[in-house]
């Protein structure tokens, strides 16, 4: 796993099965997560999650469109992002069926809205 930060992109964490990076899109903070978010992969997201949350953005979009597997550990990471973001940050999720289905089955979509595209999530 590697963790790096550059001026052009936000923090990025990479592993064999998981990655995360943050960036601004139309002034909105987007935390993009991909790969297999399971028991081994979810903890590897922590540096990127911490860096994104430290920015205290008004809106944080968690983009899961490149997630290939989302386990209960990944669901727990999403709930942790929502909890740690606090009242001052609106958290929105972008997900394909791979991630949207477990989010819906566990009712996490009641904690934060889930959108099909990044553009929809930015519009809110």
């Amino acid at each position: 796993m590697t963790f790096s930060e550059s001026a052009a992109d936000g923090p990025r964490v990479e592993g064999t099965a998981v990655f995360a990076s943050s960036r601004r899109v139309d002034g909105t903070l987007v935390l993009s997560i991909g790969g297999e978010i399971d028991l081994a992969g979810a903890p590897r997201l922590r540096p990127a999650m911490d860096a994104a949350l430290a920015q205290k953005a008004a809106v944080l979009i968690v983009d899961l469109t490149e997630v290939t597997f989302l386990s209960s550990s990944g669901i727990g990471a999403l709930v942790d992002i929502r909890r740690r973001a606090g009242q001052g940050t609106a958290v929105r999720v972008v997900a394909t069926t791979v991630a949207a289905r477990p989010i819906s089955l566990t009712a996490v979509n009641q904690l934060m809205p889930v959108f099909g595209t990044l553009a929809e999530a930015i519009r809110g």
Side-chain angles (χ1 to χ4, degrees), residues 44-58:
R44 294 181 182 159
L45 301 174
R46 191 66 177 215
M49 288 169 44
D50 290 347
L53 290 167
Q55 295 185 45
K56 304 233 184 266

Side-chain angles (χ1 to χ4, degrees), residues 54-109:
Q55 295 185 45
K56 304 233 184 266
V59 177
L60 171 60
I61 297 175
V62 182
D63 184 351
L64 303 177
T65 54
E66 294 189 51
V67 166
T68 57
F69 179 76
L70 185 66
S71 75
S72 60
S73 296
I75 295 291
L78 273 179
V79 171
D80 188 46
I81 288 171
R82 171 64 271 164
R83 180 187 58 79
R84 292 176 55 211
Q87 296 284 342
T89 301
V91 178
R92 301 174 188 158
V93 176
V94 181
T96 62
T97 305
V98 170
R101 189 162 195 275
I103 290 169
S104 177
L105 289 172
T106 57
V108 171
N109 59 328

Side-chain angles (χ1 to χ4, degrees), residues 9-13 19-23 30-33 48:
D9 296 324
R12 181 169 180 87
V13 62
F19 70 86
S21 63
S22 61
R23 67 190 190 285
V30 178
L31 175 62
S32 297
I33 297 173

